[in-house]
Amino acid sequence: MKSVIAILIVFLFTTVAAAQTPAEMRAREIAALINSGDRTAVRKYVETSFSDQLRSRPMERHLSFFSTEHDQARGLEVSGVQDSGDNQVTLLVRKKLTGEWQGLWVAVEAAAPHKVAAIGRQPAKPPAGEKRELSDKDIARELDSFAKKLATADVFSGTILLARNGEVVYKGAFGIANKDFNAPNRIDTKFNLGSMNKMFTAVAIAQLVERGKMSFDDPLSKFIPDFPNADAAKKIQIKHLLTHTSGLGGYFSDRYDGMSRERLRNVDDMMRLVREDEKDVRFEPGSRWAYSNTGMLVLGKVIEVVSGQSYFDYVRENIYKPAGMTNTDSYELDRVNPNLAVGYDKRFTDTGVDWVNNVFSHVLRGGPQGGGFSTAEDLLKFDQALRSGKLISAETFKILTSPKPELNSPNYGYGFQADTERNVAGHGGGFTGINSNLDMFLGSGWSAIVMSNYSRGAGPVQAKMRNLIGSAK
């Protein structure tokens, strides 16, 4: 009898194994590696089981991915296959720390031994029985419990604000603003915005358009005739700069790394930094999309030329002040600025975790492209001022928050990310020790704000709020 059972067990095991595609087998191996938290095992797996192209990336990037996934999940429970295709699969997994679902996507090479070609995350499709309808109180209770789990595990530090039609449903502050002094975050703590300043720059441009002082179709050469690439300046239009389709490059370059941050205090200082980069336009304006901090910085200079004011004075007087945003600005960080959170990066090593602050890696002062500071409550004021017509008209607001496929920008409007599937507009910001996001749900009136002084800190909270809003009554 025992031999029959043994044969049956072997048969069942080999049948299940045979039913798994190479992609699924690799995906399950990767889930097990994430669960182990074993960096030595990850190194060996990368060296033996990753494709040549994927393995060519720095080993530290691979180790960081696995360590971060382990840290944020504290273990993955594999439910099964969510989706599959040629040489790829998405596993439906559940995070042990929070109980949240996630899609773990893995692609493999077609030829044996089917080495791993790519790994990523996908939106989860939870089991049908988990569909719920939640009241506002239910949402607040669940979001608070979720945030406390993350904060207790030291995965999240920051503030959260969720509102419906401008009325706060939930707000909370978690973690530490300054680890040197163990100073806690408060709901009015100012966090770095990263790229979220791009929304302010876009609204400023839109205001000047509404006032008849310029047009979205104007060429850059109209405002900056001495632009280093004269031919490109004639082709690049304001709308190309707003949509990241100008062909201009980035801001954080080797030149930035090699210079004193103290020299970058106004838009002209920042423009001098990127002058050499502006000579090379990477593609024909409007032909494709490529994120460009330099493009948004150039728009800051356009605002100064058209308005006759400094960029910083213009946005204070025309955006922050009318919206009631009293705790928002591009502060100079070598001055006294009360209640600013310090940004931190969690560095994983073979012996544990090291915390590093971003004091010497980020900008001394933010600008049109990003790097200013705000609070969760001020961002709600900005959201409501936009929706109510206090800053720009409803028609112009729609123009800013709608994608521009005609410019090869299908998911980005004028300075705003545009998710047509969820009918969400807003912007995120991320850098070392910085991760913040504003989601404006245009159809339902929800506003979801998360600000974190941890690298990658906002992502899990943003995803949770989106899921909860999707279940709202």
Side-chain angles (χ1 to χ4, degrees):
M1 183 65 179
K2 288 183 179 179
S3 61
V4 173
I5 293 174
I7 292 170
L8 181 59
I9 291 171
V10 171
F11 172 77
L12 289 173
F13 177 82
T14 54
T15 301
V16 170
Q20 290 182 3
T21 64
E24 182 183 348
M25 293 179 69
R26 289 296 191 188
R28 288 179 179 273
E29 291 170 359
I30 287 165
L33 266 181
I34 291 171
N35 287 348
S36 74
D38 187 338
R39 290 166 64 88
T40 300
V42 170
R43 277 193 188 89
K44 184 176 180 180
Y45 191 85
V46 169
E47 291 167 353
T48 60
S49 302
F50 275 25
S51 68
D52 291 345
Q53 183 176 359
L54 188 58
R55 194 175 64 250
S56 67
R57 298 173 184 172
M59 177 61 75
E60 191 52 44
R61 286 183 60 184
H62 299 305
L63 292 171
S64 179
F65 171 82
F66 279 90
S67 293
T68 300
E69 291 297 302
H70 174 78
D71 187 56
Q72 293 191 346
R74 304 300 162 96
L76 298 174
E77 297 173 344
V78 179
S79 175
V81 174
Q82 176 171 290
D83 294 301
S84 62
D86 293 340
N87 303 311
Q88 60 179 293
V89 70
T90 300
L91 293 183
L92 180 62
V93 299
R94 196 165 202 164
K95 297 181 179 182
K96 290 183 180 180
L97 176 61
T98 61
E100 295 300 296
W101 293 100
Q102 178 180 301
L104 176 63
W105 173 78
V106 175
V108 300
E109 293 181 325
H114 308 289
K115 292 187 175 182
V116 177
I119 309 172
R121 305 179 189 92
Q122 291 289 334
K125 300 175 183 176
E130 296 224 345
K131 184 69 176 177
R132 303 170 296 164
E133 284 194 357
L134 302 175
S135 68
D136 289 1
K137 287 185 178 180
D138 294 332
I139 288 172
R141 189 180 306 113
E142 189 165 329
L143 181 55
D144 184 65
S145 174
F146 177 83
K148 285 176 178 175
K149 289 177 183 177
L150 293 180
T152 300
D154 210 10
V155 173
F156 175 69
S157 173
T159 54
I160 302 168
L161 194 154
L162 188 62
R164 194 175 199 175
N165 297 320
E167 296 296 321
V168 175
V169 171
Y170 175 82
K171 63 181 177 181
F174 304 86
I176 302 298
N178 187 313
K179 290 182 181 293
D180 291 337
F181 299 99
N182 202 33
N185 283 318
R186 308 186 320 218
I187 196 63
D188 64 344
T189 297
K190 305 179 187 81
F191 291 86
N192 200 298
L193 292 165
S195 286
M196 295 176 73
N197 282 76
K198 292 177 173 66
M199 294 185 291
F200 307 149
T201 299
V203 171
I205 290 287
Q207 289 176 339
L208 295 170
V209 169
E210 286 189 337
R211 294 166 190 169
K213 295 188 175 184
M214 61 183 297
S215 162
F216 292 127
D217 296 321
D218 282 339
L220 179 57
S221 57
K222 179 177 178 180
F223 309 104
I224 309 180
D226 62 341
F227 192 77
N229 190 324
D231 290 337
K234 294 174 184 177
K235 296 179 181 179
I236 296 173
Q237 296 175 304
I238 297 301
K239 62 187 179 185
H240 296 138
L241 296 166
L242 286 165
T243 53
H244 300 287
T245 61
S246 67
L248 295 179
Y251 180 80
F252 299 104
S253 60
D254 291 341
R255 193 174 296 106
Y256 169 83
D257 290 337
M259 73 180 303
S260 170
R261 312 290 194 268
E262 192 177 15
R263 295 169 56 188
L264 304 174
R265 293 183 183 273
N266 57 49
V267 171
D268 284 338
D269 294 338
M270 298 171 195
M271 289 287 287
R272 277 191 288 272
L273 169 66
V274 301
R275 279 284 177 180
E276 291 300 315
D277 301 322
E278 292 171 3
K279 291 179 181 178
D280 298 319
V281 177
R282 294 175 292 173
F283 51 83
E284 189 73 15
S287 65
R288 65 186 180 92
W289 192 92
Y291 198 78
S292 173
N293 281 306
T294 297
M296 283 289 173
L297 170 60
V298 170
L299 283 174
K301 185 59 185 176
V302 171
I303 291 166
E304 292 190 334
V305 171
V306 175
S307 69
Q309 294 179 276
S310 77
Y311 171 83
F312 306 103
D313 287 341
Y314 182 89
V315 294
R316 279 192 208 105
E317 293 177 17
N318 293 274
I319 296 176
Y320 305 156
K321 187 175 180 179
M325 300 165 68
T326 56
N327 287 308
T328 303
D329 212 329
S330 292
Y331 303 107
E332 294 176 82
L333 298 186
D334 59 350
R335 299 178 184 245
V336 176
N337 300 293
N339 205 19
L340 261 62
V342 175
Y344 295 97
D345 187 47
K346 184 185 282 189
R347 304 279 175 89
F348 300 97
T349 71
D350 291 347
T351 57
V353 171
D354 287 335
W355 286 101
V356 180
N357 69 46
N358 67 358
V359 171
F360 293 103
S361 60
H362 203 236
V363 296
L364 178 81
R365 188 185 197 185
Q369 73 284 11
F373 284 78
S374 189
T375 67
E377 292 174 322
D378 266 14
L379 287 178
L380 179 61
K381 292 175 181 177
F382 175 66
D383 169 310
Q384 293 301 294
L386 281 175
R387 298 202 208 205
S388 67
K390 188 177 289 186
L391 299 179
I392 51 177
S393 69
E395 181 182 356
T396 299
F397 178 58
K398 186 174 182 179
I399 290 171
L400 296 192
T401 56
S402 300
K404 302 292 181 283
E406 70 277 10
L407 298 175
N408 289 296
S409 182
N411 301 305
Y412 201 96
Y414 288 166
F416 285 77
Q417 294 162 342
D419 182 343
T420 54
E421 184 178 342
R422 294 186 180 91
N423 198 15
V424 174
H427 216 291
F431 195 78
T432 303
I434 299 164
N435 199 197
S436 299
N437 189 78
L438 165 65
D439 276 343
M440 297 183 289
F441 290 75
L442 303 179
S444 62
W446 283 95
S447 307
I449 299 160
V450 55
M451 310 190 79
S452 179
N453 58 327
Y454 281 3
S455 304
R456 305 171 296 278
V461 179
Q462 178 188 358
K464 179 64 174 179
M465 288 194 287
R466 285 187 168 189
N467 290 336
L468 289 172
I469 289 170
S471 299
K473 289 182 180 178

